[in-house]
Amino acid sequence: MLIDITLKELNNGEARVVRIFKNAGETVKAGEALFELEANKSNITVESEAEGKICKIMVEESQSVKAGDVLARIEGPPCPQAAAAEDTADFNYFGTLLKPQEQELECDITIIGGGPGGYVAAIQAAKMGAKVILIEKDVLGGTCLNRGCIPTKSLVRSAEIFKNLKEAEDFGCQAENISVDIKNVIGRKNRVITQLVQGIEYILKKHDVRVIRGIGEIKDCNTVFVKEKAAEITIKTNNIIIATGSKSSSLPIPGKDLECVMDSSDALQMDELPEKMVIIGGGVIGMEFAFIFSGFGVDVTVVEFLDEVLAAFDSDIIEEISKIAKSKGIKIFTGSKVEQIIQGEDGQSIVVFSKDNEKKYISADKVLMAVGRQPSLDGLDVASLGLELNDKGRGIKVNEKMQTNIPNIYAIGDVTNRVLLAHVASHQGIVAVKNIIGVPSEIDYNVIPSAIFTDPEIAMVGIGEKAAKKQGIDVEVGKFPFAASGKALTMGESRGFVKIIKQKCTGKILGGAIIGPHATDLIAEIALAVKKGLTCEDVIETVHAHPTTAEAIHEAVLAAEGGAIHFVN
Ligand code: NAD
């Protein structure tokens, strides 16, 4: 059977062939590299999709190629009918090719899962001189790149552009006939993902990390097995890092499997915008999607079980974002427990929930379930390995070095169920690798910034006012509203504030929260202050550029020390 090796998807039009690894007449295995292409600052490796003999190489080095071009032709195993006919022959040439190829590999560290935990750990380990194998069953980049942080931010940006166009007149500009094409919004999001995934593939290759596509199974603490296409690979390894991430949770309620019910991954692949959407769960995912879809003109209702949305934040932040959500037409029901989803005769869904002992009903075209994520232990035989889990069996238990109860097996990221954030997973990956290599390292969970991409953004680091009170820490709070910031006013983004939490007796900055323009970028300054134990005086003495939104941090710190310059309480 002849198989054409075709260039699948390209981000930016064309690529250039920089290397051809095989000649016509040579044999090639499935997954073996055939070509290296240079495309938009990143290199792409084109692998053979089949095992066989190369009949023809269709391109030359330096040649430009585009998606859809045939790069090589391979004589592979016959199609099933032909193979059946071959069975009767005395000599079956292709029969030997169809047998699984057994391979044995050796390495220092095998990493299972190529998300922001796993791939960062792989790069870090390779940089420190280790021989690394990374196993990924899907696409590199994990939830963060493919179904989480990056795709949602691409949608957030599209919603922001749409908003800016609608508000153009306020800025003295004209924009007419504005509309959203969700197919193109999703298309752009996909192109951003492809570019980033290709970038990661390129970096891993440059660091000589062997990436194997398949499901990694831990046989014992020094053996991992993986099937990659026709190859059965046994890896003998000194250490293992489990980085298998998490998956969306669902409520065990009637109607949860109806067609209208989506999880966050489905919501990132829509080809049509619904008129009405109900979001179950007013946590981080629920609120980010509420602002995205409301920004595109969808009628959004959020139903949250707790008495507040984004319950981990201080109440002044929650009040502010709830007020802004209301002003944008987002309806929020708190203290409301969703109990059932019903499919109506007219195709509409009805979300049934109870609030104050009363049953309530809301209709919608689509229902987004955003009630949390759970560690993904699929394929890991935790029990027979003897891996200890956290209390209530949620996630793999690790110590501060990211080591499990089996000394040479480490776990990082969402699978540990500690803090489900991409930047935490990456940091945990670096900590695990350093400890494996013999450089003692621990993660400081007290200084983990969180960034929520609502409109406006919200960010927080260190201790909050609520938590400080609970822990009996005597604090003073300094606040500065963006309405008093020159830069924020020029941007037309004057909602929100910066809030600094100062320890009374030492003057040290223990935490901070921001709601407003650039909040998710600005939080880095407060994170550094908390991590380094800086006092308010240290920040006050640091000149902040004018006009920037960062001045609002300077002013909030001044407020905590007796009074801001550009605002009077
Ligand atoms: P979450 O735990 O933050 O929020 C889920 C919400 O659903 C909770 O507020 C919960 O009270 C509510 N809920 C549960 N059962 C309910 C019911 N029957 N009726 C109504 N409400 C109900 O989970 P999430 O928002 O799905 O996010 C999952 C994880 O992903 C989190 O750990 C989050 O930190 C992470 N994440 C982070 C970001 C970011 O940092 N920007 C973005 C996306 C996801």
Side-chain angles (χ1 to χ4, degrees), residues 153 251 280-286 288 303-306 336-338 370-373 420-421 451-453:
K153 263 76 275 174
L251 289 177
I280 306 177
V284 182
I285 295 184
E288 284 190 358
V303 186
E304 166 56 48
F305 174 68
L306 299 175
S336 301
K337 187 178 178 198
V338 173
V371 293
R373 295 183 65 84
L420 279 68
L421 293 172
I452 319 297
F453 294 82

PDB file of all heavy atoms in Angstrom, residues 153 251 280-286 288 303-306 336-338 370-373 420-421 451-453, ligand 1:
ATOM      1  N   LYS A 153      -7.799  32.674  27.066  1.00  0.00           N
ATOM      2  CA  LYS A 153      -7.271  34.038  26.924  1.00  0.00           C
ATOM      3  C   LYS A 153      -7.394  34.535  25.499  1.00  0.00           C
ATOM      4  O   LYS A 153      -7.560  35.719  25.246  1.00  0.00           O
ATOM      5  CB  LYS A 153      -5.813  34.111  27.391  1.00  0.00           C
ATOM      6  CG  LYS A 153      -5.680  34.602  28.814  1.00  0.00           C
ATOM      7  CD  LYS A 153      -6.035  33.601  29.881  1.00  0.00           C
ATOM      8  CE  LYS A 153      -7.448  33.445  30.284  1.00  0.00           C
ATOM      9  NZ  LYS A 153      -7.677  32.341  31.217  1.00  0.00           N
ATOM     10  N   LEU A 251     -21.501  17.280  37.956  1.00  0.00           N
ATOM     11  CA  LEU A 251     -22.410  17.035  39.078  1.00  0.00           C
ATOM     12  C   LEU A 251     -23.165  15.733  38.843  1.00  0.00           C
ATOM     13  O   LEU A 251     -23.626  15.494  37.725  1.00  0.00           O
ATOM     14  CB  LEU A 251     -23.436  18.162  39.178  1.00  0.00           C
ATOM     15  CG  LEU A 251     -22.952  19.524  39.651  1.00  0.00           C
ATOM     16  CD1 LEU A 251     -24.111  20.508  39.606  1.00  0.00           C
ATOM     17  CD2 LEU A 251     -22.357  19.458  41.038  1.00  0.00           C
ATOM     18  N   ILE A 280     -23.172  26.606  35.405  1.00  0.00           N
ATOM     19  CA  ILE A 280     -23.298  26.035  36.752  1.00  0.00           C
ATOM     20  C   ILE A 280     -21.937  26.133  37.420  1.00  0.00           C
ATOM     21  O   ILE A 280     -20.971  25.507  36.981  1.00  0.00           O
ATOM     22  CB  ILE A 280     -23.775  24.564  36.710  1.00  0.00           C
ATOM     23  CG1 ILE A 280     -25.066  24.451  35.886  1.00  0.00           C
ATOM     24  CG2 ILE A 280     -23.960  24.023  38.118  1.00  0.00           C
ATOM     25  CD1 ILE A 280     -25.571  23.020  35.730  1.00  0.00           C
ATOM     26  N   GLY A 281     -21.846  26.928  38.477  1.00  0.00           N
ATOM     27  CA  GLY A 281     -20.575  27.127  39.174  1.00  0.00           C
ATOM     28  C   GLY A 281     -20.040  28.523  38.918  1.00  0.00           C
ATOM     29  O   GLY A 281     -19.774  28.883  37.783  1.00  0.00           O
ATOM     30  N   GLY A 282     -19.922  29.285  39.997  1.00  0.00           N
ATOM     31  CA  GLY A 282     -19.379  30.650  39.888  1.00  0.00           C
ATOM     32  C   GLY A 282     -17.962  30.700  40.420  1.00  0.00           C
ATOM     33  O   GLY A 282     -17.581  31.625  41.125  1.00  0.00           O
ATOM     34  N   GLY A 283     -17.170  29.665  40.084  1.00  0.00           N
ATOM     35  CA  GLY A 283     -15.755  29.674  40.441  1.00  0.00           C
ATOM     36  C   GLY A 283     -14.973  30.368  39.339  1.00  0.00           C
ATOM     37  O   GLY A 283     -15.527  31.172  38.573  1.00  0.00           O
ATOM     38  N   VAL A 284     -13.693  30.036  39.250  1.00  0.00           N
ATOM     39  CA  VAL A 284     -12.819  30.717  38.298  1.00  0.00           C
ATOM     40  C   VAL A 284     -13.264  30.453  36.856  1.00  0.00           C
ATOM     41  O   VAL A 284     -13.426  31.392  36.066  1.00  0.00           O
ATOM     42  CB  VAL A 284     -11.364  30.242  38.501  1.00  0.00           C
ATOM     43  CG1 VAL A 284     -10.447  30.968  37.562  1.00  0.00           C
ATOM     44  CG2 VAL A 284     -10.940  30.463  39.935  1.00  0.00           C
ATOM     45  N   ILE A 285     -13.472  29.184  36.515  1.00  0.00           N
ATOM     46  CA  ILE A 285     -13.850  28.857  35.133  1.00  0.00           C
ATOM     47  C   ILE A 285     -15.204  29.468  34.806  1.00  0.00           C
ATOM     48  O   ILE A 285     -15.382  30.121  33.776  1.00  0.00           O
ATOM     49  CB  ILE A 285     -13.871  27.319  34.916  1.00  0.00           C
ATOM     50  CG1 ILE A 285     -12.446  26.770  35.068  1.00  0.00           C
ATOM     51  CG2 ILE A 285     -14.469  26.958  33.554  1.00  0.00           C
ATOM     52  CD1 ILE A 285     -12.293  25.295  34.790  1.00  0.00           C
ATOM     53  N   GLY A 286     -16.166  29.302  35.708  1.00  0.00           N
ATOM     54  CA  GLY A 286     -17.513  29.815  35.478  1.00  0.00           C
ATOM     55  C   GLY A 286     -17.511  31.316  35.233  1.00  0.00           C
ATOM     56  O   GLY A 286     -18.141  31.799  34.283  1.00  0.00           O
ATOM     57  N   GLU A 288     -14.935  33.305  34.365  1.00  0.00           N
ATOM     58  CA  GLU A 288     -14.205  33.713  33.145  1.00  0.00           C
ATOM     59  C   GLU A 288     -15.103  33.521  31.918  1.00  0.00           C
ATOM     60  O   GLU A 288     -15.224  34.414  31.078  1.00  0.00           O
ATOM     61  CB  GLU A 288     -12.902  32.917  32.983  1.00  0.00           C
ATOM     62  CG  GLU A 288     -11.803  33.406  33.928  1.00  0.00           C
ATOM     63  CD  GLU A 288     -10.419  32.812  33.638  1.00  0.00           C
ATOM     64  OE1 GLU A 288     -10.297  31.989  32.725  1.00  0.00           O
ATOM     65  OE2 GLU A 288      -9.471  33.186  34.350  1.00  0.00           O
ATOM     66  N   VAL A 303     -25.175  30.162  38.157  1.00  0.00           N
ATOM     67  CA  VAL A 303     -25.824  29.617  39.348  1.00  0.00           C
ATOM     68  C   VAL A 303     -24.736  29.035  40.248  1.00  0.00           C
ATOM     69  O   VAL A 303     -24.029  28.106  39.855  1.00  0.00           O
ATOM     70  CB  VAL A 303     -26.861  28.529  38.988  1.00  0.00           C
ATOM     71  CG1 VAL A 303     -27.617  28.087  40.234  1.00  0.00           C
ATOM     72  CG2 VAL A 303     -27.831  29.034  37.935  1.00  0.00           C
ATOM     73  N   GLU A 304     -24.582  29.598  41.422  1.00  0.00           N
ATOM     74  CA  GLU A 304     -23.496  29.201  42.329  1.00  0.00           C
ATOM     75  C   GLU A 304     -24.060  28.676  43.646  1.00  0.00           C
ATOM     76  O   GLU A 304     -24.942  29.281  44.250  1.00  0.00           O
ATOM     77  CB  GLU A 304     -22.563  30.411  42.567  1.00  0.00           C
ATOM     78  CG  GLU A 304     -21.589  30.285  43.718  1.00  0.00           C
ATOM     79  CD  GLU A 304     -20.671  29.059  43.643  1.00  0.00           C
ATOM     80  OE1 GLU A 304     -20.097  28.814  42.581  1.00  0.00           O
ATOM     81  OE2 GLU A 304     -20.561  28.337  44.654  1.00  0.00           O
ATOM     82  N   PHE A 305     -23.484  27.578  44.098  1.00  0.00           N
ATOM     83  CA  PHE A 305     -23.940  26.905  45.313  1.00  0.00           C
ATOM     84  C   PHE A 305     -23.634  27.719  46.578  1.00  0.00           C
ATOM     85  O   PHE A 305     -24.461  27.851  47.483  1.00  0.00           O
ATOM     86  CB  PHE A 305     -23.257  25.532  45.367  1.00  0.00           C
ATOM     87  CG  PHE A 305     -23.511  24.763  46.622  1.00  0.00           C
ATOM     88  CD1 PHE A 305     -24.775  24.283  46.909  1.00  0.00           C
ATOM     89  CD2 PHE A 305     -22.483  24.521  47.521  1.00  0.00           C
ATOM     90  CE1 PHE A 305     -25.011  23.572  48.071  1.00  0.00           C
ATOM     91  CE2 PHE A 305     -22.714  23.820  48.685  1.00  0.00           C
ATOM     92  CZ  PHE A 305     -23.979  23.341  48.964  1.00  0.00           C
ATOM     93  N   LEU A 306     -22.431  28.285  46.625  1.00  0.00           N
ATOM     94  CA  LEU A 306     -22.027  29.035  47.831  1.00  0.00           C
ATOM     95  C   LEU A 306     -22.722  30.404  47.874  1.00  0.00           C
ATOM     96  O   LEU A 306     -23.372  30.802  46.907  1.00  0.00           O
ATOM     97  CB  LEU A 306     -20.508  29.220  47.850  1.00  0.00           C
ATOM     98  CG  LEU A 306     -19.678  27.925  47.874  1.00  0.00           C
ATOM     99  CD1 LEU A 306     -18.183  28.247  47.770  1.00  0.00           C
ATOM    100  CD2 LEU A 306     -19.954  27.135  49.150  1.00  0.00           C
ATOM    101  N   SER A 336     -27.399  28.813  45.611  1.00  0.00           N
ATOM    102  CA  SER A 336     -28.352  28.094  44.768  1.00  0.00           C
ATOM    103  C   SER A 336     -27.756  26.764  44.330  1.00  0.00           C
ATOM    104  O   SER A 336     -26.677  26.731  43.741  1.00  0.00           O
ATOM    105  CB  SER A 336     -28.670  28.917  43.517  1.00  0.00           C
ATOM    106  OG  SER A 336     -29.215  30.153  43.906  1.00  0.00           O
ATOM    107  N   LYS A 337     -28.476  25.686  44.630  1.00  0.00           N
ATOM    108  CA  LYS A 337     -27.962  24.358  44.328  1.00  0.00           C
ATOM    109  C   LYS A 337     -28.662  23.787  43.100  1.00  0.00           C
ATOM    110  O   LYS A 337     -29.869  23.560  43.118  1.00  0.00           O
ATOM    111  CB  LYS A 337     -28.190  23.446  45.539  1.00  0.00           C
ATOM    112  CG  LYS A 337     -27.530  22.112  45.380  1.00  0.00           C
ATOM    113  CD  LYS A 337     -27.728  21.268  46.612  1.00  0.00           C
ATOM    114  CE  LYS A 337     -27.101  19.907  46.393  1.00  0.00           C
ATOM    115  NZ  LYS A 337     -27.591  18.928  47.303  1.00  0.00           N
ATOM    116  N   VAL A 338     -27.870  23.561  42.046  1.00  0.00           N
ATOM    117  CA  VAL A 338     -28.453  22.973  40.833  1.00  0.00           C
ATOM    118  C   VAL A 338     -28.757  21.504  41.099  1.00  0.00           C
ATOM    119  O   VAL A 338     -27.916  20.760  41.599  1.00  0.00           O
ATOM    120  CB  VAL A 338     -27.504  23.143  39.627  1.00  0.00           C
ATOM    121  CG1 VAL A 338     -28.046  22.389  38.417  1.00  0.00           C
ATOM    122  CG2 VAL A 338     -27.319  24.616  39.301  1.00  0.00           C
ATOM    123  N   ALA A 370     -19.283  24.012  35.268  1.00  0.00           N
ATOM    124  CA  ALA A 370     -17.950  24.467  35.699  1.00  0.00           C
ATOM    125  C   ALA A 370     -17.868  24.314  37.214  1.00  0.00           C
ATOM    126  O   ALA A 370     -17.779  25.287  37.950  1.00  0.00           O
ATOM    127  CB  ALA A 370     -17.745  25.925  35.280  1.00  0.00           C
ATOM    128  N   VAL A 371     -17.918  23.056  37.663  1.00  0.00           N
ATOM    129  CA  VAL A 371     -17.986  22.786  39.103  1.00  0.00           C
ATOM    130  C   VAL A 371     -16.689  22.166  39.637  1.00  0.00           C
ATOM    131  O   VAL A 371     -16.695  21.404  40.580  1.00  0.00           O
ATOM    132  CB  VAL A 371     -19.195  21.886  39.449  1.00  0.00           C
ATOM    133  CG1 VAL A 371     -20.495  22.621  39.210  1.00  0.00           C
ATOM    134  CG2 VAL A 371     -19.168  20.596  38.642  1.00  0.00           C
ATOM    135  N   GLY A 372     -15.582  22.518  39.007  1.00  0.00           N
ATOM    136  CA  GLY A 372     -14.297  22.057  39.512  1.00  0.00           C
ATOM    137  C   GLY A 372     -13.639  21.020  38.632  1.00  0.00           C
ATOM    138  O   GLY A 372     -14.223  20.562  37.642  1.00  0.00           O
ATOM    139  N   ARG A 373     -12.412  20.681  38.987  1.00  0.00           N
ATOM    140  CA  ARG A 373     -11.648  19.664  38.248  1.00  0.00           C
ATOM    141  C   ARG A 373     -11.128  18.636  39.227  1.00  0.00           C
ATOM    142  O   ARG A 373     -10.977  18.922  40.414  1.00  0.00           O
ATOM    143  CB  ARG A 373     -10.480  20.317  37.492  1.00  0.00           C
ATOM    144  CG  ARG A 373     -10.946  21.278  36.397  1.00  0.00           C
ATOM    145  CD  ARG A 373      -9.783  21.846  35.619  1.00  0.00           C
ATOM    146  NE  ARG A 373      -9.038  20.861  34.869  1.00  0.00           N
ATOM    147  CZ  ARG A 373      -9.360  20.416  33.656  1.00  0.00           C
ATOM    148  NH1 ARG A 373     -10.430  20.886  33.050  1.00  0.00           N
ATOM    149  NH2 ARG A 373      -8.616  19.521  33.037  1.00  0.00           N
ATOM    150  N   LEU A 420      -4.438  23.916  41.772  1.00  0.00           N
ATOM    151  CA  LEU A 420      -4.608  23.537  40.358  1.00  0.00           C
ATOM    152  C   LEU A 420      -4.375  24.743  39.442  1.00  0.00           C
ATOM    153  O   LEU A 420      -5.314  25.321  38.909  1.00  0.00           O
ATOM    154  CB  LEU A 420      -6.003  22.938  40.129  1.00  0.00           C
ATOM    155  CG  LEU A 420      -6.160  21.465  40.505  1.00  0.00           C
ATOM    156  CD1 LEU A 420      -6.064  21.244  41.988  1.00  0.00           C
ATOM    157  CD2 LEU A 420      -7.459  20.901  39.981  1.00  0.00           C
ATOM    158  N   LEU A 421      -3.114  25.106  39.297  1.00  0.00           N
ATOM    159  CA  LEU A 421      -2.763  26.226  38.429  1.00  0.00           C
ATOM    160  C   LEU A 421      -1.542  25.849  37.600  1.00  0.00           C
ATOM    161  O   LEU A 421      -0.616  25.196  38.117  1.00  0.00           O
ATOM    162  CB  LEU A 421      -2.429  27.478  39.255  1.00  0.00           C
ATOM    163  CG  LEU A 421      -3.573  28.107  40.042  1.00  0.00           C
ATOM    164  CD1 LEU A 421      -3.062  29.207  40.950  1.00  0.00           C
ATOM    165  CD2 LEU A 421      -4.632  28.670  39.101  1.00  0.00           C
ATOM    166  N   ALA A 451      -4.621  34.565  39.031  1.00  0.00           N
ATOM    167  CA  ALA A 451      -5.001  35.550  38.019  1.00  0.00           C
ATOM    168  C   ALA A 451      -6.296  35.099  37.358  1.00  0.00           C
ATOM    169  O   ALA A 451      -6.348  34.019  36.779  1.00  0.00           O
ATOM    170  CB  ALA A 451      -3.888  35.650  36.982  1.00  0.00           C
ATOM    171  N   ILE A 452      -7.321  35.933  37.477  1.00  0.00           N
ATOM    172  CA  ILE A 452      -8.627  35.579  36.913  1.00  0.00           C
ATOM    173  C   ILE A 452      -8.934  36.562  35.780  1.00  0.00           C
ATOM    174  O   ILE A 452      -8.911  37.779  35.994  1.00  0.00           O
ATOM    175  CB  ILE A 452      -9.751  35.689  37.971  1.00  0.00           C
ATOM    176  CG1 ILE A 452      -9.298  35.149  39.336  1.00  0.00           C
ATOM    177  CG2 ILE A 452     -11.028  35.016  37.499  1.00  0.00           C
ATOM    178  CD1 ILE A 452      -8.957  33.726  39.388  1.00  0.00           C
ATOM    179  N   PHE A 453      -9.269  36.009  34.605  1.00  0.00           N
ATOM    180  CA  PHE A 453      -9.420  36.868  33.424  1.00  0.00           C
ATOM    181  C   PHE A 453     -10.875  37.220  33.167  1.00  0.00           C
ATOM    182  O   PHE A 453     -11.433  36.917  32.126  1.00  0.00           O
ATOM    183  CB  PHE A 453      -8.733  36.203  32.231  1.00  0.00           C
ATOM    184  CG  PHE A 453      -7.246  36.129  32.436  1.00  0.00           C
ATOM    185  CD1 PHE A 453      -6.677  35.115  33.194  1.00  0.00           C
ATOM    186  CD2 PHE A 453      -6.413  37.117  31.930  1.00  0.00           C
ATOM    187  CE1 PHE A 453      -5.316  35.061  33.430  1.00  0.00           C
ATOM    188  CE2 PHE A 453      -5.045  37.072  32.167  1.00  0.00           C
ATOM    189  CZ  PHE A 453      -4.499  36.045  32.913  1.00  0.00           C
TER     190      PHE A 453
HETATM  191  P1  NAD B   1     -13.929  25.982  41.276  1.00  0.00           P
HETATM  192  O1  NAD B   1     -13.792  25.002  42.363  1.00  0.00           O
HETATM  193  O2  NAD B   1     -13.113  27.213  41.291  1.00  0.00           O
HETATM  194  O3  NAD B   1     -15.456  26.454  41.165  1.00  0.00           O
HETATM  195  C1  NAD B   1     -16.548  25.559  41.062  1.00  0.00           C
HETATM  196  C2  NAD B   1     -17.767  26.209  41.665  1.00  0.00           C
HETATM  197  O4  NAD B   1     -18.890  25.381  41.430  1.00  0.00           O
HETATM  198  C3  NAD B   1     -17.647  26.389  43.174  1.00  0.00           C
HETATM  199  O5  NAD B   1     -17.793  27.752  43.494  1.00  0.00           O
HETATM  200  C4  NAD B   1     -18.766  25.515  43.721  1.00  0.00           C
HETATM  201  O6  NAD B   1     -19.345  26.049  44.870  1.00  0.00           O
HETATM  202  C5  NAD B   1     -19.757  25.484  42.545  1.00  0.00           C
HETATM  203  N1  NAD B   1     -20.721  24.357  42.598  1.00  0.00           N
HETATM  204  C6  NAD B   1     -20.454  23.069  42.941  1.00  0.00           C
HETATM  205  N2  NAD B   1     -21.609  22.339  42.916  1.00  0.00           N
HETATM  206  C7  NAD B   1     -22.623  23.169  42.541  1.00  0.00           C
HETATM  207  C8  NAD B   1     -24.037  23.019  42.335  1.00  0.00           C
HETATM  208  N3  NAD B   1     -24.686  21.854  42.511  1.00  0.00           N
HETATM  209  N4  NAD B   1     -24.750  24.099  41.956  1.00  0.00           N
HETATM  210  C9  NAD B   1     -24.143  25.290  41.775  1.00  0.00           C
HETATM  211  N5  NAD B   1     -22.818  25.491  41.970  1.00  0.00           N
HETATM  212  C10 NAD B   1     -22.050  24.452  42.340  1.00  0.00           C
HETATM  213  O7  NAD B   1     -13.708  25.159  39.922  1.00  0.00           O
HETATM  214  P2  NAD B   1     -13.604  25.670  38.420  1.00  0.00           P
HETATM  215  O8  NAD B   1     -14.049  27.070  38.290  1.00  0.00           O
HETATM  216  O9  NAD B   1     -14.315  24.624  37.628  1.00  0.00           O
HETATM  217  O10 NAD B   1     -12.053  25.594  38.167  1.00  0.00           O
HETATM  218  C11 NAD B   1     -11.344  24.356  38.276  1.00  0.00           C
HETATM  219  C12 NAD B   1      -9.892  24.572  38.611  1.00  0.00           C
HETATM  220  O11 NAD B   1      -9.207  25.161  37.513  1.00  0.00           O
HETATM  221  C13 NAD B   1      -9.717  25.468  39.809  1.00  0.00           C
HETATM  222  O12 NAD B   1      -8.804  24.877  40.688  1.00  0.00           O
HETATM  223  C14 NAD B   1      -9.179  26.734  39.229  1.00  0.00           C
HETATM  224  O13 NAD B   1      -8.284  27.391  40.122  1.00  0.00           O
HETATM  225  C15 NAD B   1      -8.467  26.267  37.956  1.00  0.00           C
HETATM  226  N6  NAD B   1      -8.513  27.326  36.948  1.00  0.00           N
HETATM  227  C16 NAD B   1      -7.815  28.463  37.140  1.00  0.00           C
HETATM  228  C17 NAD B   1      -7.899  29.493  36.236  1.00  0.00           C
HETATM  229  C18 NAD B   1      -7.126  30.756  36.470  1.00  0.00           C
HETATM  230  O14 NAD B   1      -6.385  30.806  37.437  1.00  0.00           O
HETATM  231  N7  NAD B   1      -7.282  31.800  35.659  1.00  0.00           N
HETATM  232  C19 NAD B   1      -8.715  29.385  35.135  1.00  0.00           C
HETATM  233  C20 NAD B   1      -9.432  28.231  34.975  1.00  0.00           C
HETATM  234  C21 NAD B   1      -9.325  27.208  35.897  1.00  0.00           C
END
